């Protein structure tokens, strides 16, 4: 079970909105943080690969999971989050919606 499913169990009738940003912009932001001493949320768990991230890395044809680059790991991490959100949305489409960050003003105007 993931956080989205838990949220839905606790608050089953509460409407939700999932916002997706451009993945390249998100990766650039995450990888900039790499230069500081603060671990970013993308690479902080790089050596504790989840089953979902391993699956994505294998689909990306990463040969050696123990030597995965920050860029490949970050791409797999972001893809796993987006896939999770779309799976959740499919199961709960009657009370929620996914919006594009780029078009959020227009999308929110349509919803409201």
């Amino acid at each position: 079970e993931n956080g989205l499913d838990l949220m839905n169990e606790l608050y089953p009738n509460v409407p939700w909105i999932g916002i997706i940003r451009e993945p390249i912009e998100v990766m650039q932001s995450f990888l900039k943080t790499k230069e500081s001493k603060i671990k970013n949320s993308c690479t902080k768990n790089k050596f504790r690969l989840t089953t979902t991230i391993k699956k994505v890395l294998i689909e990306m044809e990463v040969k050696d999971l123990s030597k995965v680059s920050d860029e490949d790991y970050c791409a797999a991490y972001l893809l796993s989050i987006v896939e999770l959100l779309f799976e959740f949305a499919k199961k709960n489409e009657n009370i929620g919606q996914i919006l594009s960050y780029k078009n959020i003003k227009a999308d929110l105007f349509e919803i409201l």
Side-chain angles (χ1 to χ4, degrees), residues 72-83:
D72 283 346
Y73 181 83
C74 218
Y77 173 80
L78 292 172
L79 182 58
S80 69
I81 291 171
V82 170
E83 285 179 347

Side-chain angles (χ1 to χ4, degrees), residues 1 37 40 86:
E1 185 168 279
K37 292 183 181 181
N40 65 56
F86 275 96

Side-chain angles (χ1 to χ4, degrees), residues 8-58:
N8 195 48
E9 283 179 29
L10 294 172
Y11 308 102
N13 298 315
V14 175
W16 59 269
I17 295 175
I19 301 171
I20 296 180
R21 286 182 56 205
E22 289 294 320
I24 292 176
E25 292 173 10
V26 175
M27 277 186 64
Q28 287 173 336
S29 175
F30 279 148
L31 295 172
K32 273 187 204 171
T33 310
K34 173 174 106 171
E35 297 161 4
S36 74
K37 292 183 181 181
I38 302 168
K39 288 278 191 177
N40 65 56
S41 59
C42 182
T43 57
K44 72 180 178 185
N45 293 315
K46 182 176 169 183
F47 298 104
R48 287 186 280 158
L49 296 175
T50 65
T51 305
T52 306
I53 293 176
K54 282 181 189 175
K55 183 186 96 168
V56 172
L57 287 168
I58 290 167

